[in-house]
Amino acid sequence: MRQDEALDALERARAMDTKVRARGRWYAVYGIGYGLMSLVVVLTMGLTGTAMGASAAMAIVAVCLTALSVYQARQPVKPLGYARLHAWGILLWGAVYGLTVVAGMYFFPQVTAWWVPMAVLSALPTSVAGYVALRRSRSTA
Amino acid sequence: MSHPRSRLDDVIHAPVRFSIVAALASATEIEFRVLRDTVEITDSALSKQITVLEKAGYVRVSKFSVGRRTRTSLLLTPEGRTAFEQHVRALREIASGETVRIPGTE
């Protein structure tokens, strides 16, 4: 194999990588969708402070998680590294969500100054993961 | 020191198979129809090359149902990934000309 043939093959590999990574931008929709779900759920649960509010929040979670799971399962490409990105996003979200709900119920029931910023914070981990996925899908390197 | 050419993988070396493996190396999993469109070949040509890669133990094929449809998903095995990485390393060496020696300079 000659030097120019090797360069040509490497260029082809790079082109394939770019094409495949571009098909990974679906994760941005998933991550940001998950973040929005968290925002709505935390606000519903925290600001209503009633059993009805908690039930409504759980219904929103059930509908959104089903929709997001179906959306994820239908994607034809799972780009490399997304499983780890997803795991980190969900792990951080779980920690923030758990802290928000537990501390909120005991110490800040219906306190807007607690629930609103924490709802925004709980939306960040998966949204950031989605943004990272979007950046990766656009990268040509 | 052996020439990097000797480290090129015979299975991956064919241009179409190289493109297929390069695409699969960028993902955990790719559906057949998307891989076909990415590499820009026909269904039958892709099937043929996948059979070769599967026999070499480089690619794993799995089928699953989404609604009423059966979909075929492809992924690179750890052996396939290692072979591809080694192949790319050899290509980079050839491309950079690192191992090209000029007689009488040693």
Side-chain angles (χ1 to χ4, degrees):
Chain A
M1 176 178 259
R2 297 194 315 263
Q3 194 171 17
D4 59 332
E5 289 171 328
L7 282 167
D8 185 48
L10 288 169
E11 181 53 38
R12 251 182 302 133
R14 199 192 60 78
M16 286 296 118
D17 181 54
T18 303
K19 275 187 181 183
V20 171
R21 273 190 294 109
R23 307 229 27 166
R25 62 176 63 109
W26 63 266
Y27 191 80
V29 175
Y30 182 92
I32 293 166
Y34 201 105
L36 286 174
M37 174 196 75
S38 183
L39 181 86
V40 172
V41 164
V42 170
L43 287 177
T44 307
M45 199 184 291
L47 296 180
T48 58
T50 59
M52 182 76 103
S55 301
M58 287 307 107
I60 294 168
V61 168
V63 170
C64 290
L65 281 187
T66 303
L68 287 170
S69 299
V70 169
Y71 175 72
Q72 185 183 30
R74 292 176 71 90
Q75 298 310 314
V77 176
K78 312 269 188 300
L80 207 60
Y82 277 32
R84 184 180 293 184
L85 190 65
H86 180 65
W88 272 110
I90 295 297
L91 200 74
L92 280 174
W93 169 80
V96 174
Y97 180 80
L99 172 76
T100 303
V101 174
V102 173
M105 277 193 322
Y106 285 102
F107 305 113
F108 312 104
Q110 291 176 287
V111 177
T112 309
W114 169 262
W115 289 98
V116 172
M118 291 310 279
V120 173
L121 191 65
S122 78
L124 285 181
T126 57
S127 299
V128 169
Y131 176 70
V132 170
L134 190 65
R135 288 283 301 266
R136 283 186 189 173
S137 74
R138 284 175 177 168
S139 164
T140 54
Chain B
M1 188 188 191
S2 66
H3 192 281
R5 195 167 43 228
S6 65
R7 294 197 298 279
L8 291 172
D9 189 292
D10 288 339
V11 178
I12 297 176
H13 189 57
V16 174
R17 281 202 291 276
F18 178 75
S19 294
I20 291 168
V21 175
L24 289 171
S26 302
T28 309
E29 215 175 307
I30 304 183
E31 267 185 41
F32 185 93
R33 63 189 171 90
V34 173
L35 185 61
R36 175 201 62 201
D37 295 344
T38 304
V39 181
E40 296 174 9
I41 53 172
T42 61
D43 282 359
S44 59
L46 180 57
S47 290
K48 196 174 150 191
Q49 301 303 338
I50 290 297
T51 303
V52 174
L53 291 165
E54 209 181 358
K55 277 185 184 163
Y58 289 175
V59 167
R60 194 157 54 237
V61 180
S62 60
K63 290 183 187 293
F64 61 98
S65 297
V66 174
R68 289 177 186 172
R69 290 182 185 167
T70 300
R71 291 187 179 176
T72 304
S73 194
L74 307 159
L75 60 90
L76 214 53
T77 62
E79 294 78 21
R81 200 166 287 281
T82 305
F84 177 70
E85 284 165 4
Q86 198 173 316
H87 189 85
V88 167
R89 266 199 299 275
L91 284 175
R92 283 193 182 129
E93 280 183 43
I94 294 168
S96 68
E98 271 175 20
T99 57
V100 177
R101 293 175 183 182
I102 300 162
T105 56
E106 291 176 359

